[in-house]
Amino acid sequence: MDKTKLDFLTAKARKVRDDAIEIIGHFGVGHIGGAMSVMDALTVIYYDKANIDPANPKKQDRDRVIMSKGHAGPAMYAVLADLGYYPKEWTTTLNQNGTNLPSHCDMNKTPGIDMTAGSLGQGLSAAVGMALAAKMDGNPATIYCFIGDGEAQEGQIWEATMLAGNRGLDNLIVLLDNNKLQLDGRTDDINSLAPAVDKWKAFGFFTQEVDGHDIEAISDAIDNAKAQKGKASMIVLNTIKGYGASFTEGLANCHSMSIPEELWRKETGRYE
Ligand SMILES: Cc1ncc(C[n+]2csc(CCOP(=O)(O)OP(=O)(O)O)c2C)c(N)n1
Ligand SMILES: [Mg+2]
């Protein structure tokens, strides 16, 4: 990756992180940890890889991004607002009555959200359906789907994984946000996913494992996945929950936190 692009994506990831912190801050509490950990991969996809058009969110051949760990809605909202999918004023309304930005992703409320999510385990099934449909229709779309490491304890993840592997869905790229924490503790202590790569390999996936905060590594992994024919892809993103928010990074209790106004203003340096 050339330096100009790397600098651009690095700065963009910082900016949308701050936007997400502010979005949650306006409500006062929210899922900060899992929003921060996916932000670098989301930035690479939305600002470098995906075939999308914010002016035409439903265009037929668009790439789809499914946030199956739907509680990371604020991460999606930060990116979608920055890209111009919806009015910036909405970003102060997270989770409030009548909002178009519910805490969990809702495809009927927010332009640019391709699938409603929040009940963990379901988004990957929808993504597999979209990938299958795209194959049948001759639609060139790539389907990206983010799942959480805790979410992978859901049986439905493995039903969807089995079908994607068997059908060789090379238009499907699943990204595991392996931040090692779930709602109330360490994933390894509760119901370990290890060895994640071997598991997805056994289901017939093309697997890669990268530092989920290394923009170049994420970019290369997505390119490799897209070049792979006849196999669905799993990219294990080794991430840190809360990454890039100094008040919460890596804390065991950073899943959902209260973020008072003075805290988000200090963190983002936004006082206007
Ligand atoms: C079916 C279902 N069960 C429980 C929950 C409550 N819940 C929301 S987030 C979460 C933890 C998810 O952990 P992980 O997938 O690792 O997410 P991340 O660490 O990225 O936030 C739980 C249990 C839910 N949303 N859906
Ligand atoms: Mg997790």
Side-chain angles (χ1 to χ4, degrees):
M1 180 180 291
D2 67 54
K3 187 174 175 327
T4 313
K5 187 186 277 187
L6 180 59
D7 287 350
F8 168 77
L9 292 172
T10 303
K12 190 57 87 176
R14 181 66 261 165
K15 195 250 176 202
V16 287
R17 269 200 174 84
D18 285 347
D19 291 348
I21 292 167
E22 181 174 344
I23 287 170
I24 296 172
H26 278 289
F27 186 60
V29 60
H31 294 99
I32 183 78
M36 293 296 108
S37 54
V38 289
M39 211 52 117
D40 296 298
L42 262 190
T43 300
V44 173
I45 291 170
Y46 271 102
Y47 295 91
D48 192 36
K49 306 294 180 196
N51 170 23
I52 47 160
D53 178 3
N56 187 6
K58 296 273 185 204
K59 82 175 179 124
Q60 195 61 28
D61 67 345
R62 73 189 183 280
D63 292 344
R64 273 71 169 172
V65 181
I66 317 297
M67 184 58 69
S68 187
K69 35 168 276 183
H71 55 284
M76 296 290 285
Y77 303 152
V79 169
L80 296 174
D82 183 73
L83 288 168
Y85 275 89
Y86 65 84
K88 290 253 173 9
E89 303 82 72
W90 291 8
T91 57
T92 59
T93 68
L94 180 78
N95 221 15
Q96 293 171 27
N97 280 343
T99 188
N100 286 297
L101 307 183
S103 65
H104 297 61
C105 298
D106 185 333
M107 65 187 287
N108 296 312
K109 292 219 158 73
T110 319
I113 294 291
D114 282 315
M115 180 46 62
T116 300
S119 184
L120 294 171
Q122 297 183 348
L124 182 57
S125 295
V128 170
M130 287 180 193
L132 267 173
K135 289 263 174 213
M136 289 172 184
D137 293 347
N139 186 327
T142 296
I143 318 298
Y144 297 92
C145 181
F146 284 87
I147 63 171
D149 55 339
E151 179 180 14
Q153 293 160 357
E154 292 287 345
Q156 190 172 346
I157 290 292
W158 301 100
E159 298 175 35
T161 297
M162 187 160 79
L163 183 61
N166 282 332
R167 295 296 165 95
L169 295 178
D170 53 18
N171 54 349
L172 175 71
I173 301 178
V174 186
L175 302 110
L176 172 71
D177 181 9
N178 194 27
N179 60 25
K180 292 106 185 159
L181 290 167
Q182 50 191 88
L183 187 152
D184 52 0
R186 280 168 37 82
T187 308
D188 275 350
D189 294 338
I190 294 165
N191 191 5
S192 178
L193 186 55
V197 167
D198 292 348
K199 286 189 170 80
W200 265 277
K201 201 174 278 172
F203 279 83
F205 273 58
F206 174 60
T207 55
Q208 301 175 82
E209 186 171 16
V210 299
D211 176 345
H213 303 305
D214 180 333
I215 282 179
E216 276 187 289
I218 298 164
S219 171
D220 289 347
I222 290 172
D223 291 347
N224 290 340
K226 291 183 82 163
Q228 188 72 24
K229 295 295 161 226
K231 282 190 173 191
S233 264
M234 160 53 73
I235 302 176
V236 174
L237 300 168
N238 287 319
T239 56
I240 296 170
K241 201 157 175 170
Y243 186 83
S246 67
F247 56 89
T248 188
E249 184 175 313
L251 294 186
N253 66 347
C254 73
H255 183 71
S256 177
M257 279 180 74
S258 133
I259 305 182
E261 185 173 354
E262 44 304 358
L263 184 59
W264 71 255
R265 287 200 185 280
K266 182 161 177 269
E267 180 73 17
T268 60
R270 296 176 180 175
Y271 290 96
E272 288 303 311

